[in-house]
Amino acid sequence: MSAAVQERVTCVVHASGAAEIVIDRPERHNAMTAPMYEALLAHIAACRADPAVRSVLLRGAGGKSFVSGTDIAHFRDFRDGSDGIAYEAFVERVIDAVERIPVPTVAVVDGWCVGGGLALATACDFRLCSAGSRFGAPIAKTLSNTLSSRNIARLVAALGVPRVKRMLLLADYLSADEALACGFVHAAVPAGQLPDEAHALVQRLMALSGATQAAVKESLRRIVAEHSLADDDLVDSVYGSAAFRAGVAAFIKG
């Protein structure tokens, strides 16, 4: 990974156990290049391998955008539909990696959250936003491309078919108030309060059972992305865990 890319996608693990991944390309509204996506994947892998990490925050720098999707320059050399298939497979690898993070994840949105940025935010467990944030994927107005069916399924699960049609067919945006009203965002606060709100939320999450959270997250991922109800491995891992035994013992003792 080049030094330039390292500066664009950074990760800090706080003493609290919260890892904070920052996309830092504000002059391009935090648009992602292929190397930046790879850097994000590397940080996700490092977080998964670090037992000290008990939650992950994902945010964009600059106060104008969370992530505005893939840099348009990436599409300049596309020749035909096979390039689109390869691109969507690459994006799926990134979104899938975010979804598979076993600890709770929070997207911290300050400003525009569009295209691939919307997909990244949707892959997180919770979303917090500033009051002026906007959510959308105006591809019918911009590139005339599409989203993968998996990403559309994720949007439908989070927002419902009517809102997804508004966003994709009409190129409309959802305001912070609309996103809050439909439950897509956990809270919408003034921009200055966003960092404190984010850290307060992850503190609540980290105080709860990681074993339960990991199993529920994976069940939801399978249901939405794979239409699978297979769960023997998840049930086995939770009921066979030290956390479950400790919880039962503490409940009986108390």
Side-chain angles (χ1 to χ4, degrees):
M1 189 189 309
S2 71
V5 173
Q6 287 178 335
E7 293 174 357
R8 295 298 192 178
V9 186
T10 61
C11 182
V12 174
V13 179
H14 299 285
S16 64
E20 189 166 5
I21 299 175
V22 179
I23 309 301
D24 189 357
R25 200 185 179 208
E27 74 280 5
R28 296 298 300 271
H29 294 280
N30 298 323
M32 299 287 286
T33 63
M36 288 172 67
Y37 279 126
E38 293 288 0
L40 176 58
L41 286 169
H43 286 309
I44 290 171
C47 287
R48 293 194 58 156
D50 187 348
V53 173
R54 293 183 292 122
S55 66
V56 175
L57 294 160
L58 179 62
R59 69 176 180 86
K64 293 183 179 180
S65 295
F66 171 65
V67 173
S68 61
T70 300
D71 192 309
I72 302 302
H74 182 81
F75 304 106
R76 185 181 298 125
D77 296 326
F78 275 34
R79 297 160 300 169
D80 54 35
S82 64
D83 291 316
I85 291 172
Y87 167 72
E88 290 297 338
F90 175 66
V91 170
E92 175 58 29
R93 185 158 67 92
V94 177
I95 303 304
D96 182 68
V98 173
E99 281 192 321
R100 288 178 186 268
I101 296 172
V103 298
T105 54
V106 178
V108 184
V109 177
D110 188 8
W112 296 99
C113 179
V114 298
L118 180 66
L120 283 171
T122 303
C124 291
D125 301 312
F126 295 92
R127 288 150 295 279
L128 301 172
C129 73
S130 59
S133 294
R134 295 290 184 271
F135 301 85
I139 52 178
K141 190 192 305 186
T142 54
L143 296 186
S144 292
N145 63 323
T146 188
L147 303 182
S148 70
S149 292
R150 279 180 177 260
N151 274 324
I152 291 175
R154 292 176 177 114
L155 290 175
V156 168
L159 290 160
V161 170
R163 292 184 187 89
V164 173
K165 285 186 175 181
R166 273 184 57 200
M167 297 170 91
L168 299 184
L169 303 186
L170 279 171
D172 278 353
Y173 292 96
L174 292 185
S175 67
D177 287 343
E178 289 177 286
L180 179 62
C182 73
F184 183 65
V185 299
H186 180 73
V189 300
Q193 297 177 19
L194 202 51
D196 288 343
E197 190 78 18
H199 284 281
L201 177 57
V202 295
Q203 288 298 327
R204 286 181 59 194
L205 288 163
M206 292 188 295
L208 301 171
S209 170
T212 297
Q213 291 168 335
V216 170
K217 280 170 57 74
E218 178 58 14
S219 286
L220 289 169
R221 188 197 67 78
R222 293 178 187 182
I223 291 166
V224 173
E226 299 176 359
H227 302 289
S228 171
L229 300 180
D231 65 355
D232 283 355
D233 58 327
L234 302 177
V235 173
D236 179 73
S237 69
V238 172
Y239 281 90
S241 69
F244 173 69
R245 292 192 296 273
V248 171
F251 195 85
I252 292 172
K253 183 178 179 180

